[in-house]
Amino acid sequence: MNAVIDITAPSSKSLSHRALICAALAEGESLLEGVLDSQDLTRTAQCLRQLGAVIEPRGEKLFVRGTGGAAPRDASGVISMNVGESGTTCRLMAGVVTAIPGAYRIHGEGRMHDRPVRHLTDALTQQGVDVAFEDKDGYPPVVLTSRGLKGGEVTINLEQSSQYLSGLLLAAPLAAGTTVIRLMGRTIASWPYVALTLDSMSRFGVPVSLERRAAGNWTPCTHAGAANLPPVDIRLVVHPAPYRSGAMRVEGDWSNASYFLAAGAVGKAPVRIAGLNRDSAQGDRFMLDILARMGARVEWDGDAVTVFPSALRGASLDMNACPDIVPTVAAMAAFATGETVISGAAHLALKECDRIQGPVTELSKAGVDIGARPDGMVIRGTGLLPQRIADLCTYGDHRMAMSLSLLELAGVDVRLDTPGCVAKSFPGFWDVWAKIRFGNGIGAHHAA
């Protein structure tokens, strides 16, 4: 077996957004370590600066002087916030800004104006926010005019994204009164991400009560305990409270580590990834369970996990809680023997690209037997892929570019149309991927 390839996990994108927002809303000065440097985080930082926060690098850390939730000094006109292609920035900031009196125009680039925000704005309307869509009803650009949030009871639908709830939660401590958030709809998309929001808020001094309904009464429950409940039986209670400044270190990102974890299983060399939290609240930690269910050998040593080359087998996987790793798992399933069924991920059609149709179309070009389902896809693996040159489209989606690179480990000459799109979440991806190529005896590649 080839020598172990050593990699350090990049910082968590989801936790980086949340840490920056909490620090920017706090009174006083915070020092954040390990905030991811990527296009999406640049957008969030830019929006927070428009609210009056000071965010500047100090060595390897980020110094943040928060606003304490006070209105920006020059808030007479509409503050125009360009969220770029960052869905997280769009949804979290659309909630956060309404806690601070003023008028805010939220707009973006790429597919952002085709990504819905109606479920969030419906909740904000209940809080007295005036919502004006400029173009398509329910989609950015949107102008939000707020006199501040009043609190009280509010309902929100999370079938498309849990980020709507996270945006509302982050704003709620700054409301005039206690906010009781009731969930509605049939399902909750990406529930683990709510845990990241609750964890970040508590680190900055704002506790949130999560409660479940049992026999007509509401009783406290854990995030894990709420995971399989019907949405109508869950509520969150947020009392008015100031965010408190402090220091925080952002842990490694399970989403962006997924490509390297998969590479360890399907390549010729084991891959050891340092900097991951084994007990992380990140939903994409489920990647380890998926690897185990597909037959991969995985070993922990401290905060480093090693995945060994393994004969993978197909599996049935409900990916509702971790949609971001579906493209990774789809590519990995091409190396497995037998059928892999990915389900529970209908909301993938609303991502940076249609992440159901995208992987199906591109993996098919590389010779993978794959078909779409309304809520996912089916991959029929033979354990082998035909050697070929594959000109593949990323649709400008960072996760498509990174996941399709796994095909190189099957001997496919992968040629991507826009390899640079990885900068959205992981600007250094190609430098790290070069270690995977080298460790697997693959030559340098023009796409990088």
Side-chain angles (χ1 to χ4, degrees):
M1 194 178 286
N2 297 29
V4 174
I5 302 168
D6 271 305
I7 283 166
T8 301
S11 294
S12 164
K13 183 163 84 88
S14 303
L15 282 168
S16 293
H17 283 292
R18 288 158 174 80
L20 261 185
I21 289 170
C22 292
L25 293 175
E27 184 87 61
E29 300 174 353
S30 297
L31 211 50
L32 306 180
E33 194 177 345
V35 172
L36 183 70
D37 181 10
S38 74
Q39 288 174 351
D40 282 12
L41 266 302
T42 299
R43 294 292 186 179
T44 292
Q46 196 176 310
C47 293
L48 294 168
R49 286 189 185 105
Q50 288 179 274
L51 292 179
V54 173
I55 302 170
E56 55 192 32
R58 292 235 176 125
E60 295 291 296
K61 301 180 183 178
L62 266 189
F63 166 83
V64 182
R65 183 182 299 119
T67 65
R73 278 192 291 276
D74 50 354
S76 48
V78 176
I79 296 176
S80 182
M81 293 184 168
N82 183 352
V83 301
E85 295 188 57
S86 175
T88 308
T89 306
C90 177
R91 288 157 177 172
L92 298 189
M93 290 307 302
V96 165
V97 295
T98 61
I100 299 160
Y104 306 90
R105 179 175 183 261
I106 309 285
H107 62 106
E109 296 167 6
R111 275 195 91 203
M112 189 51 64
H113 296 171
D114 297 316
R115 299 181 70 181
V117 293
R118 157 75 73 198
H119 289 161
L120 173 57
T121 57
D122 281 353
L124 294 173
T125 303
Q126 297 168 49
Q127 285 282 292
V129 176
D130 183 52
V131 176
F133 293 106
E134 286 184 7
D135 188 9
K136 278 193 301 188
D137 197 44
Y139 297 82
V142 59
V143 176
L144 304 167
T145 307
S146 176
R147 288 168 291 284
L149 301 177
K150 59 186 187 199
E153 187 159 301
V154 56
T155 56
I156 192 162
N157 183 311
L158 304 183
E159 288 176 354
Q160 293 172 343
S161 174
S162 66
Q163 287 177 348
Y164 303 139
L165 173 59
S166 289
L168 199 56
L169 279 171
L170 288 161
L174 303 180
T178 297
T179 305
V180 178
I181 303 170
R182 298 277 301 270
L183 308 189
M184 54 193 279
R186 295 183 307 280
T187 58
I188 300 172
S190 315
W191 178 244
Y193 285 91
V194 176
L196 301 185
T197 306
L198 299 177
D199 181 51
S200 300
M201 290 173 72
S202 109
R203 287 194 198 205
F204 285 87
V206 179
V208 176
S209 304
L210 181 58
E211 299 177 350
R212 64 176 295 174
R213 181 163 47 190
N217 296 315
W218 290 98
T219 56
C221 91
T222 63
H223 177 272
N228 297 310
L229 295 176
V232 292
D233 289 339
I234 303 170
R235 73 176 190 180
L236 299 100
V237 181
V238 190
H239 298 290
Y243 281 96
R244 288 202 294 271
S245 57
M248 178 175 166
R249 189 179 193 303
V250 175
E251 66 181 55
D253 191 318
W254 279 96
S255 316
N256 279 345
S258 71
Y259 314 105
F260 307 109
L261 294 165
V266 304
K268 298 187 180 106
V271 177
R272 180 167 52 221
I273 304 171
L276 292 172
N277 175 4
R278 190 174 186 170
D279 303 313
S280 174
Q282 294 177 53
D284 290 340
R285 188 174 58 88
F286 186 53
M287 185 69 188
L288 281 192
D289 295 12
I290 293 169
L291 284 160
R293 281 163 64 177
M294 295 181 76
R297 180 179 151 213
V298 177
E299 289 179 5
W300 276 96
D301 179 18
D303 79 338
V305 61
T306 305
V307 183
F308 295 84
S310 307
L312 300 181
R313 55 182 179 270
S316 283
L317 306 166
D318 182 339
M319 305 288 282
N320 177 271
C322 49
D324 281 348
I325 57 173
V326 166
T328 318
V329 173
M332 186 170 77
F335 292 78
T337 304
E339 188 172 86
T340 297
V341 179
I342 292 172
S343 63
H347 48 300
L348 280 176
L350 304 173
K351 294 284 189 176
E352 281 86 335
C353 77
D354 180 337
R355 285 195 192 147
I356 294 175
Q357 205 50 58
V360 168
T361 302
E362 301 313 310
L363 289 170
S364 295
K365 290 181 191 172
V368 179
D369 183 355
I370 180 171
R373 296 164 38 115
D375 67 340
M377 56 200 82
V378 181
I379 302 99
R380 289 166 282 271
T382 60
L384 284 172
L385 278 173
Q387 310 289 296
R388 61 169 69 177
I389 293 173
D391 289 299
L392 304 180
C393 177
T394 66
Y395 307 91
D397 184 336
H398 54 135
R399 301 213 182 279
M400 286 291 294
M402 293 187 274
S403 61
L404 291 170
S405 302
L406 283 164
L407 298 175
E408 293 183 359
L409 302 177
V412 177
D413 184 356
V414 176
R415 300 187 178 180
L416 303 175
D417 59 345
T418 55
C421 66
V422 297
K424 185 176 193 297
S425 68
F426 194 171
F429 175 78
W430 296 116
D431 294 332
V432 184
W433 190 251
K435 295 184 180 182
I436 300 290
R437 287 178 176 144
F438 182 77
N440 280 274
I442 300 169
H445 199 275
H446 77 281

